[in-house]
Amino acid sequence: MEQILNVEGLCRDYGKGAVTHAVDHVDFSVEKGEFVGIMGPSGSGKTTLLNCISTIDTPTAGHIWVEGRDITGLKQKELSRFRRERLGFVFQDCNLLDTLTAFENIALALTIRKTPPQKVESLVKETARLLEITDCLDKYPYQMSGGQQQRTAAARAIVTRPALILADEPTGALDSKAARLLLERFEAMNELCEATILMVTHDAFTASYCHRILFLRDGAVFAQLERGDQNRRDFFRRIIGVVSELGGDQSDVL
C-alpha cells in the first residue's frame, strides 16, 4: 500500500528551562485509504500532533512526510500552497462563511485552486451527493442544522480530493443523531473516494468508526488498536478498555 503520511521522531517542546514535551518522539504512518483515529487524555499531545501535521504548528524536531515529501523543510510560500492543495480540514467549528451558500462555501476551495468554472459545479454537486446535502446547496449556514453545516464543511474538505483529510473533534458540537450521520458520511468518503482520514476525538463511539486508533499519553504513543474484521460494537468495547487503562472514563479522555 502507498504511504500517505509518515511521522518520524516528531517532537514539539514548549517553554524554556522547564520544558514541556507536548509531543515526544512520535513515530507512525498512515497508508492511502486508511481512517485513523487519535485519542488520549487531556494534555496528551493529540491536538499539538495534529497541528504539526497540518502545518499550523512547527515541530521542534523530527520529520513529517506527506506523499513522500518532507513538509518540515518547506518554506512559508511552499507550505501555504501545500496546505491549500494537498490537505483538507474539518474542525469542531465548521468555519463556514455566513455570507455564502453551502454551494459557494464548497466551491470556494475549488475557486482558490483556479479550477475551471465548468468543472466547479459538477464537482460540488457530486461531493454534495456523497455527503447527502444536495437539498442544502442553496441555503446559508444559519438556515442549516449543525449536522448539515458540518457535512458541508466535510464536503469543502474533500471536494479538492486532497491527499489527507485532518479532522479535529468533528462531532464535538453535534447531538448523537447528527454525529452518527456525519460519521456514516466519513465512512462513505473513505470507502467510495478512498479518502485518507486522520481524526482526533475524545469520544469512543466516534473512534469506533476508524480502522485504527493511536492512543497518546504524555506526548508519546501509549497503545495502538486495529479494528481488523471486528464489528464496530466489539471495537468500541476494546477502545473503552484502553481508555480505562489510560486512567479515566470516556468523559475524561479529551
Side-chain angles (χ1 to χ4, degrees):
M1 290 289 289
E2 177 188 354
Q3 273 192 3
I4 293 295
L5 173 68
N6 187 30
V7 175
E8 184 178 295
L10 195 70
C11 300
R12 182 59 172 104
D13 298 339
Y14 293 103
K16 296 179 179 179
V19 175
T20 299
H21 303 293
V23 176
D24 192 8
H25 294 90
V26 167
D27 299 280
F28 73 98
S29 60
V30 177
E31 294 183 345
K32 182 177 176 60
E34 271 200 290
F35 187 177
V36 178
I38 300 175
M39 299 186 76
S42 180
S44 62
K46 304 184 304 300
T47 298
T48 302
L49 175 61
L50 197 71
N51 285 346
C52 288
I53 295 168
S54 67
T55 74
I56 292 172
D57 201 354
T58 303
T60 305
H63 296 273
I64 301 166
W65 284 272
V66 177
E67 295 183 304
R69 188 177 189 184
D70 187 354
I71 64 173
T72 53
L74 297 181
K75 295 181 179 179
Q76 191 57 49
K77 188 174 181 180
E78 293 176 301
L79 208 54
S80 297
R81 182 176 180 180
F82 171 82
R83 188 187 301 123
R84 182 174 67 246
E85 295 185 353
R86 303 312 299 146
L87 300 179
F89 300 93
V90 184
F91 299 109
Q92 183 171 329
D93 280 333
C94 303
N95 294 321
L96 299 177
L97 296 176
D98 293 335
T99 56
L100 301 182
T101 63
F103 182 98
E104 292 166 339
N105 267 286
I106 299 167
L108 185 61
L110 295 168
T111 304
I112 291 171
R113 292 187 63 179
K114 299 182 180 179
T115 303
Q118 62 270 27
K119 290 186 178 181
V120 170
E121 183 170 0
S122 61
L123 284 169
V124 170
K125 289 184 175 179
E126 176 188 339
T127 307
R129 281 193 293 272
L130 177 65
L131 274 296
E132 296 186 352
I133 51 168
T134 52
D135 57 337
C136 298
L137 288 177
D138 293 328
K139 294 181 179 180
Y140 291 92
Y142 72 89
Q143 296 173 312
M144 295 185 281
S145 68
Q148 290 169 334
Q149 290 179 25
Q150 195 62 297
R151 279 181 281 152
T152 299
R156 181 182 58 190
I158 197 178
V159 73
T160 58
R161 302 299 184 261
L164 180 64
I165 296 171
L166 302 170
D168 190 3
E169 301 285 4
T171 63
L174 302 179
D175 61 34
S176 58
K177 181 180 178 181
R180 186 185 295 269
L181 283 171
L182 177 67
L183 292 165
E184 287 172 355
R185 293 302 88 204
F186 267 49
E187 277 191 324
M189 287 159 53
N190 176 248
E191 293 171 6
L192 301 178
C193 301
E194 292 189 316
T196 306
I197 306 171
L198 183 64
M199 177 177 68
V200 164
T201 181
H202 73 281
D203 180 60
F205 173 79
T206 298
S208 69
Y209 280 80
C210 298
H211 300 159
R212 180 163 56 104
I213 310 291
L214 297 174
F215 295 87
L216 299 186
R217 184 169 69 180
D218 299 328
V221 177
F222 167 77
Q224 180 174 209
L225 285 184
E226 293 194 20
R227 180 172 171 179
D229 296 327
Q230 280 190 311
N231 61 47
R232 199 166 49 76
R233 186 183 297 274
D234 289 340
F235 192 42
F236 171 81
R237 292 195 183 102
R238 291 177 64 204
I239 294 168
I240 290 295
V242 178
V243 166
S244 300
E245 191 176 347
L246 279 166
D249 61 22
Q250 184 181 337
S251 63
D252 291 331
V253 181
L254 302 172

